[in-house]
Amino acid sequence: MRWIDFEGAVNVRDVGGMPTADGGKTVPGRLLRSDNLQGLTRNDVAKFVDEHGLRTVIDLRTTNELTLEGPGPLTEVSTVRHTHHSMLPERGNATDAAADTFESRRERILAMAPDDIVCGIYLSYLADRPDSVVSALRTIAASDGAAVVHCAAGKDRTGVVVAMALSAVGVQEDAVVADYAATGQRIEAILDRLRSTPTYAGDIDRLPVDAHTPRAETMAAFLRHLDTEHGGVTEWLAEHGFGGTDVDRLRYRLLAD
Protein backbone atom coordinates (compact mmCIF):
# COMPACT_ATOMS: atom_id res chain seq x y z
CA MET A 1 0.00 0.00 0.00
CA ARG A 2 1.42 3.38 -0.95
CA TRP A 3 0.13 6.93 -0.78
CA ILE A 4 -0.25 8.99 -3.96
CA ASP A 5 -0.22 12.75 -3.45
CA PHE A 6 -2.54 15.01 -5.42
CA GLU A 7 -3.38 18.69 -5.22
CA GLY A 8 -7.14 18.12 -5.06
CA ALA A 9 -7.49 14.83 -3.16
CA VAL A 10 -5.90 13.82 0.14
CA ASN A 11 -6.73 10.16 0.71
CA VAL A 12 -5.45 8.38 -2.40
CA ARG A 13 -3.42 5.22 -2.24
CA ASP A 14 -2.50 2.17 -4.31
CA VAL A 15 -3.26 -1.13 -2.60
CA GLY A 16 -0.58 -2.95 -4.56
CA GLY A 17 2.11 -4.88 -2.69
CA MET A 18 -0.22 -6.30 -0.06
CA PRO A 19 0.61 -9.86 1.10
CA THR A 20 -1.70 -12.79 0.43
CA ALA A 21 -2.12 -15.89 2.56
CA ASP A 22 -0.44 -18.05 -0.10
CA GLY A 23 2.73 -15.95 -0.20
CA GLY A 24 1.83 -13.69 -3.13
CA LYS A 25 1.24 -9.96 -3.32
CA THR A 26 -1.29 -7.68 -4.96
CA VAL A 27 0.04 -6.01 -8.11
CA PRO A 28 0.59 -2.23 -7.98
CA GLY A 29 -1.30 -0.07 -10.45
CA ARG A 30 -4.46 -2.18 -10.52
CA LEU A 31 -6.61 -0.94 -7.62
CA LEU A 32 -6.53 2.54 -6.11
CA ARG A 33 -8.75 4.04 -3.43
CA SER A 34 -9.62 7.69 -2.88
CA ASP A 35 -11.72 10.34 -1.27
CA ASN A 36 -13.93 12.62 -3.38
CA LEU A 37 -12.48 13.35 -6.83
CA GLN A 38 -14.39 16.59 -7.42
CA GLY A 39 -11.43 18.82 -6.56
CA LEU A 40 -8.84 17.31 -8.87
CA THR A 41 -6.76 19.88 -10.74
CA ARG A 42 -5.72 19.62 -14.37
CA ASN A 43 -2.34 18.34 -13.20
CA ASP A 44 -4.06 15.74 -11.01
CA VAL A 45 -6.11 14.45 -13.92
CA ALA A 46 -3.00 14.08 -16.08
CA LYS A 47 -1.19 12.32 -13.22
CA PHE A 48 -4.08 9.91 -12.67
CA VAL A 49 -4.47 9.06 -16.34
CA ASP A 50 -0.94 9.25 -17.71
CA GLU A 51 1.22 8.21 -14.75
CA HIS A 52 -1.12 5.77 -13.04
CA GLY A 53 -3.01 4.44 -16.06
CA LEU A 54 -6.47 5.21 -14.71
CA ARG A 55 -9.22 3.68 -16.85
CA THR A 56 -12.13 3.12 -14.45
CA VAL A 57 -13.77 5.21 -11.73
CA ILE A 58 -16.03 3.34 -9.30
CA ASP A 59 -18.17 5.92 -7.51
CA LEU A 60 -19.93 4.71 -4.34
CA ARG A 61 -21.75 7.95 -3.56
CA THR A 62 -25.52 8.28 -3.77
CA THR A 63 -27.38 9.81 -6.69
CA ASN A 64 -28.12 12.80 -4.46
CA GLU A 65 -24.42 13.35 -3.81
CA LEU A 66 -23.62 13.13 -7.52
CA THR A 67 -26.34 15.67 -8.30
CA LEU A 68 -25.26 18.10 -5.58
CA GLU A 69 -21.56 17.87 -6.39
CA GLY A 70 -21.94 17.89 -10.18
CA PRO A 71 -19.64 16.27 -12.75
CA GLY A 72 -16.04 15.85 -11.62
CA PRO A 73 -12.98 16.68 -13.75
CA LEU A 74 -12.38 13.04 -14.73
CA THR A 75 -15.76 12.89 -16.49
CA GLU A 76 -14.20 15.00 -19.24
CA VAL A 77 -11.65 12.27 -20.04
CA SER A 78 -12.97 10.03 -22.81
CA THR A 79 -10.67 7.11 -21.96
CA VAL A 80 -11.95 6.84 -18.39
CA ARG A 81 -15.07 4.77 -17.73
CA HIS A 82 -17.34 5.91 -14.89
CA THR A 83 -19.58 3.55 -12.94
CA HIS A 84 -21.94 4.34 -10.06
CA HIS A 85 -22.78 1.90 -7.27
CA SER A 86 -24.48 3.62 -4.34
CA MET A 87 -23.85 1.92 -1.02
CA LEU A 88 -26.79 3.62 0.70
CA PRO A 89 -30.56 3.44 0.23
CA GLU A 90 -31.60 6.23 -2.12
CA ARG A 91 -33.69 8.27 0.29
CA GLY A 92 -33.39 11.31 2.57
CA ASN A 93 -30.26 13.41 2.24
CA ALA A 94 -28.45 10.16 1.50
CA THR A 95 -24.87 11.06 2.19
CA ASP A 96 -22.76 9.03 4.56
CA ALA A 97 -22.39 12.04 6.85
CA ALA A 98 -26.06 13.09 6.87
CA ALA A 99 -27.81 12.81 10.19
CA ASP A 100 -31.07 11.51 8.75
CA THR A 101 -29.25 8.72 6.89
CA PHE A 102 -28.23 7.21 10.22
CA GLU A 103 -31.29 8.14 12.26
CA SER A 104 -33.67 6.42 9.85
CA ARG A 105 -31.73 3.15 10.29
CA ARG A 106 -30.48 3.48 13.88
CA GLU A 107 -32.40 0.60 15.46
CA ARG A 108 -31.49 -1.84 12.72
CA ILE A 109 -27.82 -0.79 12.70
CA LEU A 110 -27.50 -1.16 16.46
CA ALA A 111 -29.05 -4.62 16.27
CA MET A 112 -26.38 -5.69 13.78
CA ALA A 113 -23.42 -4.62 15.93
CA PRO A 114 -24.45 -3.22 19.33
CA ASP A 115 -20.83 -2.88 20.47
CA ASP A 116 -19.58 -0.96 17.40
CA ILE A 117 -22.00 1.37 15.63
CA VAL A 118 -19.65 1.93 12.71
CA CYS A 119 -19.35 -1.82 12.16
CA GLY A 120 -23.16 -1.92 12.16
CA ILE A 121 -23.23 0.77 9.49
CA TYR A 122 -20.82 -1.29 7.37
CA LEU A 123 -22.98 -4.38 7.77
CA SER A 124 -25.99 -2.29 6.72
CA TYR A 125 -24.23 -1.54 3.42
CA LEU A 126 -24.16 -5.27 2.75
CA ALA A 127 -27.77 -5.72 3.84
CA ASP A 128 -29.14 -2.73 1.91
CA ARG A 129 -26.98 -2.75 -1.22
CA PRO A 130 -25.45 -6.17 -1.90
CA ASP A 131 -26.02 -5.43 -5.59
CA SER A 132 -23.68 -2.46 -5.39
CA VAL A 133 -20.94 -4.42 -3.61
CA VAL A 134 -21.05 -7.19 -6.20
CA SER A 135 -21.23 -4.76 -9.13
CA ALA A 136 -18.29 -2.75 -7.81
CA LEU A 137 -16.14 -5.87 -7.51
CA ARG A 138 -17.13 -7.00 -11.01
CA THR A 139 -16.14 -3.58 -12.33
CA ILE A 140 -12.74 -3.84 -10.66
CA ALA A 141 -12.22 -7.27 -12.19
CA ALA A 142 -13.18 -6.04 -15.66
CA SER A 143 -10.98 -2.93 -15.73
CA ASP A 144 -8.25 -2.90 -18.40
CA GLY A 145 -6.12 -0.43 -16.45
CA ALA A 146 -6.08 1.05 -12.98
CA ALA A 147 -9.44 1.29 -11.25
CA VAL A 148 -10.10 3.78 -8.45
CA VAL A 149 -12.82 3.23 -5.86
CA HIS A 150 -14.04 6.34 -4.08
CA CYS A 151 -16.87 7.88 -2.08
CA ALA A 152 -16.74 11.19 -0.17
CA ALA A 153 -14.05 10.58 2.46
CA GLY A 154 -12.63 7.37 0.97
CA LYS A 155 -13.06 5.89 4.42
CA ASP A 156 -16.29 3.98 5.07
CA ARG A 157 -18.01 2.97 1.84
CA THR A 158 -14.69 2.78 0.03
CA GLY A 159 -13.17 0.99 3.02
CA VAL A 160 -15.81 -1.74 2.88
CA VAL A 161 -15.62 -2.36 -0.88
CA VAL A 162 -11.82 -2.40 -0.92
CA ALA A 163 -11.72 -4.71 2.10
CA MET A 164 -14.15 -7.06 0.38
CA ALA A 165 -12.07 -7.06 -2.82
CA LEU A 166 -8.78 -7.64 -1.01
CA SER A 167 -10.23 -10.35 1.22
CA ALA A 168 -11.80 -12.12 -1.76
CA VAL A 169 -8.40 -12.53 -3.42
CA GLY A 170 -6.74 -13.81 -0.25
CA VAL A 171 -4.95 -10.76 1.18
CA GLN A 172 -3.99 -11.41 4.79
CA GLU A 173 -6.58 -10.08 7.22
CA ASP A 174 -4.11 -8.00 9.22
CA ALA A 175 -3.04 -6.26 6.00
CA VAL A 176 -6.68 -5.55 5.05
CA VAL A 177 -7.30 -4.08 8.49
CA ALA A 178 -4.10 -1.99 8.34
CA ASP A 179 -5.04 -0.56 4.94
CA TYR A 180 -8.46 0.43 6.26
CA ALA A 181 -6.99 2.09 9.35
CA ALA A 182 -4.36 3.99 7.32
CA THR A 183 -6.98 6.58 6.39
CA GLY A 184 -6.71 7.81 9.97
CA GLN A 185 -3.31 9.27 9.11
CA ARG A 186 -5.03 11.88 6.96
CA ILE A 187 -8.37 12.32 8.70
CA GLU A 188 -7.89 16.04 9.49
CA ALA A 189 -7.19 16.84 5.83
CA ILE A 190 -10.14 14.69 4.73
CA LEU A 191 -12.53 16.49 7.07
CA ASP A 192 -11.22 19.88 5.94
CA ARG A 193 -12.04 18.93 2.35
CA LEU A 194 -15.55 17.81 3.29
CA ARG A 195 -16.16 21.03 5.22
CA SER A 196 -15.37 22.98 2.06
CA THR A 197 -18.48 21.79 0.22
CA PRO A 198 -22.12 22.45 1.19
CA THR A 199 -22.96 18.82 0.44
CA TYR A 200 -21.10 17.59 3.53
CA ALA A 201 -20.20 20.64 5.63
CA GLY A 202 -23.34 20.69 7.74
CA ASP A 203 -22.82 17.24 9.18
CA ILE A 204 -19.05 16.91 9.59
CA ASP A 205 -18.75 18.75 12.90
CA ARG A 206 -21.70 16.99 14.55
CA LEU A 207 -19.08 14.54 15.79
CA PRO A 208 -15.53 15.04 17.13
CA VAL A 209 -12.58 14.12 14.93
CA ASP A 210 -12.01 10.93 16.93
CA ALA A 211 -15.47 9.68 15.98
CA HIS A 212 -14.62 10.08 12.28
CA THR A 213 -11.25 8.34 12.62
CA PRO A 214 -11.29 4.72 11.38
CA ARG A 215 -10.44 2.15 14.05
CA ALA A 216 -8.70 -1.11 13.18
CA GLU A 217 -11.05 -2.86 15.63
CA THR A 218 -14.05 -1.88 13.50
CA MET A 219 -12.77 -3.53 10.34
CA ALA A 220 -11.65 -6.57 12.31
CA ALA A 221 -15.16 -6.85 13.79
CA PHE A 222 -16.72 -6.46 10.33
CA LEU A 223 -14.61 -9.28 8.87
CA ARG A 224 -15.19 -11.43 11.95
CA HIS A 225 -18.95 -11.03 11.51
CA LEU A 226 -18.68 -12.24 7.92
CA ASP A 227 -16.66 -15.23 9.07
CA THR A 228 -19.09 -16.10 11.84
CA GLU A 229 -22.38 -15.48 10.04
CA HIS A 230 -21.49 -16.39 6.45
CA GLY A 231 -18.28 -18.41 6.51
CA GLY A 232 -16.18 -15.55 5.14
CA VAL A 233 -16.11 -12.85 2.49
CA THR A 234 -16.07 -15.19 -0.51
CA GLU A 235 -19.01 -17.12 0.91
CA TRP A 236 -21.00 -13.92 1.40
CA LEU A 237 -20.19 -12.92 -2.16
CA ALA A 238 -21.25 -16.34 -3.46
CA GLU A 239 -24.58 -15.96 -1.65
CA HIS A 240 -25.13 -12.79 -3.68
CA GLY A 241 -24.15 -14.12 -7.10
CA PHE A 242 -20.41 -13.42 -7.11
CA GLY A 243 -19.21 -16.99 -7.60
CA GLY A 244 -16.01 -18.86 -8.29
CA THR A 245 -15.53 -17.55 -11.82
CA ASP A 246 -15.98 -13.98 -10.59
CA VAL A 247 -13.43 -14.53 -7.83
CA ASP A 248 -10.99 -16.04 -10.33
CA ARG A 249 -11.32 -12.95 -12.55
CA LEU A 250 -10.79 -10.65 -9.59
CA ARG A 251 -7.76 -12.67 -8.48
CA TYR A 252 -6.30 -12.52 -11.98
CA ARG A 253 -6.83 -8.78 -12.11
CA LEU A 254 -5.30 -7.99 -8.72
CA LEU A 255 -2.66 -10.71 -8.42
CA ALA A 256 -1.43 -11.72 -11.90
CA ASP A 257 1.55 -9.84 -13.32
Side-chain angles (χ1 to χ4, degrees), residues 72-164:
L74 283 167
T75 61
E76 300 175 6
V77 182
S78 62
T79 58
V80 175
R81 175 191 178 203
H82 293 261
T83 65
H84 176 218
H85 311 287
S86 174
M87 296 288 283
L88 294 173
E90 298 279 354
R91 62 174 181 263
N93 286 339
T95 77
D96 226 19
D100 71 344
T101 300
F102 174 73
E103 292 300 329
S104 65
R105 302 181 295 147
R106 174 189 288 272
E107 185 174 339
R108 184 159 157 264
I109 287 169
L110 289 173
M112 291 180 181
D115 298 326
D116 191 327
I117 290 175
V118 178
C119 178
I121 291 171
Y122 294 173
L123 293 171
S124 76
Y125 298 159
L126 305 191
D128 291 335
R129 298 309 302 263
D131 56 323
S132 289
V133 176
V134 167
S135 296
L137 265 59
R138 285 204 174 109
T139 303
I140 294 169
S143 179
D144 63 353
V148 61
V149 178
H150 84 95
C151 51
K155 174 172 67 80
D156 300 310
R157 292 169 286 185
T158 296
V160 167
V161 167
V162 171
M164 296 287 281

Side-chain angles (χ1 to χ4, degrees), residues 167-252:
S167 298
V169 303
V171 171
Q172 295 175 9
E173 182 173 318
D174 59 347
V176 174
V177 171
D179 171 65
Y180 163 79
T183 290
Q185 298 172 30
R186 300 200 171 184
I187 195 64
E188 292 277 10
I190 293 166
L191 297 180
D192 284 345
R193 286 200 70 221
L194 294 177
R195 289 187 190 100
S196 71
T197 170
T199 304
Y200 307 105
D203 286 290
I204 291 302
D205 292 324
R206 290 187 303 108
L207 299 171
V209 172
D210 285 352
H212 290 289
T213 303
R215 298 167 55 248
E217 294 86 351
T218 295
M219 181 52 65
F222 171 76
L223 295 174
R224 186 165 57 249
H225 178 93
L226 288 176
D227 286 340
T228 302
E229 299 298 324
H230 300 275
V233 169
T234 54
E235 288 76 11
W236 183 93
L237 289 169
E239 290 171 16
H240 294 88
F242 193 91
T245 301
D246 292 306
V247 173
D248 287 344
R249 288 174 179 155
L250 187 63
R251 285 182 61 86
Y252 182 80

Side-chain angles (χ1 to χ4, degrees), residues 26-70:
T26 53
V27 179
R30 302 288 175 82
L31 180 58
L32 314 179
R33 55 179 296 168
S34 180
D35 52 334
N36 200 343
L37 301 173
Q38 299 296 122
L40 295 181
T41 65
R42 190 177 298 276
N43 288 338
D44 290 338
V45 170
K47 184 175 181 177
F48 246 132
V49 175
D50 298 333
E51 292 184 28
H52 296 280
L54 183 67
R55 294 295 179 269
T56 305
V57 172
I58 299 163
D59 192 335
L60 305 179
R61 297 174 300 164
T62 63
T63 300
N64 189 56
E65 286 171 274
L66 269 66
T67 300
L68 291 171
E69 292 285 277

